[in-house]
Amino acid sequence: MRRMSAPDAAMYWRSAIMPSDQFVVYCFDAPDPAVSMAEVVRELRERARGVGDLRLRVLNVPGDLDRPYWVGSGVGPEAVVVYPVLTWRECLDRIGELNDDQVDPSESAWRIHLFGPLTGAPRGCSAGEGRAIVAVLQISHAVADGRGTAAICRALFGVVPPQYGAGGDEPVSGWLPSARWGAAALGVARLPVSVASMVWLGLRSFAEYRTAVRRSHPEAPGVVGVPATELNRSAGPGRTLRVIVLDRRSLPPGHSVTVAALTAISFALDELLGPVPRRTAELTVGRPPRPGVRNNFGNVAVDLHQETDDVGVRMSRIAEEVTAAQRKAATPDPVAESAYRAESATPAFLAHWAIRQFDIGTRPDTVTGVTVVSTVNRGPADLALAGGRVRFTTGFPALSPCQGLTHGVHGIGSAVAISVTTSPEIVDVDAYVEMLRRALDRVSAVGPSRL
């Protein structure tokens, strides 16, 4: 048993009011027309038994007297499910429908969905032709962030199979009731210290914040967000997903894939929403790992610099924004560190209660960004499934009550996939994807990219 960190527990509790399962997609060539999907299922189940993060589930503590615990779990027969869809579009539609069926981490924190063999999938940078198999790892965000899920999938689809016992805990279902009440007793025992620490560390955090404000320039107005748009509202139950796959070498030299994608998204949003004085995107940025914490990232606002229509100039300015955000995320911040310590000391019942008070029905007047952009480099293209090499990988960042359009930017090898997640109630996804394609062509015209 391992006690959840405060950030991971908060992620787990929030998922009850805002679905946040990750859908991590890998598309593989299907060179054998007679591939046995039953054999693929057996292979993936066996590999999953060797991945420590896939042998975990959540143990809830009665009365929230302590944060939840990670306990061991087996890999059951329902862990891998096959859908005999025939086309890539059917596959995307089915993944969109899966959003309504979130995993219950107290039973199982993940499942794998297999689609195909199917036709119509983008080729990416693969030399393969014809049919493909698509594997989708649906996993609770409490288990891992984007870097963590990439590592899990490397174990699942890597050349060397993982060995059972490489991590995680053995199943403990036989003594779960006593473990649950034992954890509650420990929570009660540490409660006086937790309350005192929360008060003391909270006061110190506030003092750090006041010090930071005095050292800054209070006469300059702070950035509090940009006005909400028609995209920043509840998306309803429906989901529409699309993916554009391209070769990294087609993107401009001298800039990262993230910068090129943000620039293209900025021009697509210009066409979709029209001109405004200022527009920002909410970018996920990785943070240095903390011991025992599975989610090490934050969201920052990136100015999309509508003041210039010159592609090269806008891209350079966006690059400066991204570099500054990444540098800030990698630098220890006394205010953030102090707030983290205070959060970690907060008793579980108070932390969970505060999350339950969040009103998802209120639409904000301002937002950090009009869309969310999540980027992950998933490494070299040396993964395979059923004898087929990986073509590309993608993912679909979850929508929220104030984000009805999100983008994923995922790379593997030289293949880059840009995904769009939205709802029929928000935007015509195919019309927007055409805007994004035009914007990508405009950005790509700046010149070829180096690997």
Side-chain angles (χ1 to χ4, degrees), residues 134-354:
V134 176
V136 181
L137 173 65
Q138 179 184 357
I139 188 166
S140 167
H141 216 312
V143 176
D145 56 16
R147 290 175 294 192
T149 56
I152 290 171
C153 289
R154 289 217 146 259
L156 279 173
F157 307 123
V159 176
V160 179
Q163 299 299 312
Y164 186 77
D169 297 317
E170 295 299 320
V172 295
S173 56
W175 51 277
L176 280 180
S178 59
R180 183 176 288 112
W181 287 106
L186 285 174
V188 171
R190 66 164 59 98
L191 189 59
V193 175
S194 296
V195 172
S197 298
M198 176 189 67
V199 173
W200 170 246
L201 292 172
L203 291 173
R204 289 197 60 181
S205 177
F206 181 70
E208 290 278 5
Y209 171 75
R210 292 290 300 271
T211 300
V213 169
R214 287 196 300 270
R215 289 175 179 172
S216 64
H217 302 285
E219 69 276 8
V223 178
V224 295
V226 294
T229 71
E230 62 192 64
L231 304 178
N232 304 117
R233 53 192 173 91
S234 176
R239 295 292 181 268
T240 46
L241 315 175
R242 297 292 183 268
V243 182
I244 300 172
V245 181
L246 49 96
D247 192 317
R248 184 176 179 180
R249 289 165 291 198
S250 69
L251 298 175
H255 293 296
S256 68
V257 169
T258 297
V259 169
L262 279 168
T263 305
I265 290 168
S266 74
F267 283 110
L269 292 175
D270 288 351
E271 184 175 353
L272 178 67
L273 300 175
V276 291
R278 182 171 177 266
R279 180 172 291 135
T280 60
E282 194 173 330
L283 178 68
T284 57
V285 178
R287 292 174 175 161
R290 298 180 186 271
V293 179
R294 294 171 170 271
N295 284 273
N296 296 283
F297 71 95
N299 288 6
V300 298
V302 172
D303 196 317
L304 297 180
H305 289 284
Q306 285 187 287
E307 71 276 5
T308 177
D309 202 43
D310 183 284
V311 177
V313 173
R314 184 181 290 196
M315 195 178 311
S316 294
R317 293 178 181 175
I318 290 175
E320 292 173 358
E321 298 264 346
V322 172
T323 299
Q326 292 171 336
R327 185 183 300 117
K328 182 177 181 181
T331 304
D333 176 31
V335 175
E337 291 296 316
S338 183
Y340 171 73
R341 289 191 293 268
E343 177 189 11
S344 297
T346 302
F349 71 89
L350 284 178
H352 195 183
W353 174 84

Side-chain angles (χ1 to χ4, degrees), residues 6 17 43 47 84 124 207 219 258 262 264 307 368 412 432 441:
I17 57 176
E43 177 187 349
R47 280 180 168 259
E219 69 276 8
T258 297
L262 279 168
E307 71 276 5
T368 304
I412 190 164
Y432 175 71
D441 289 341

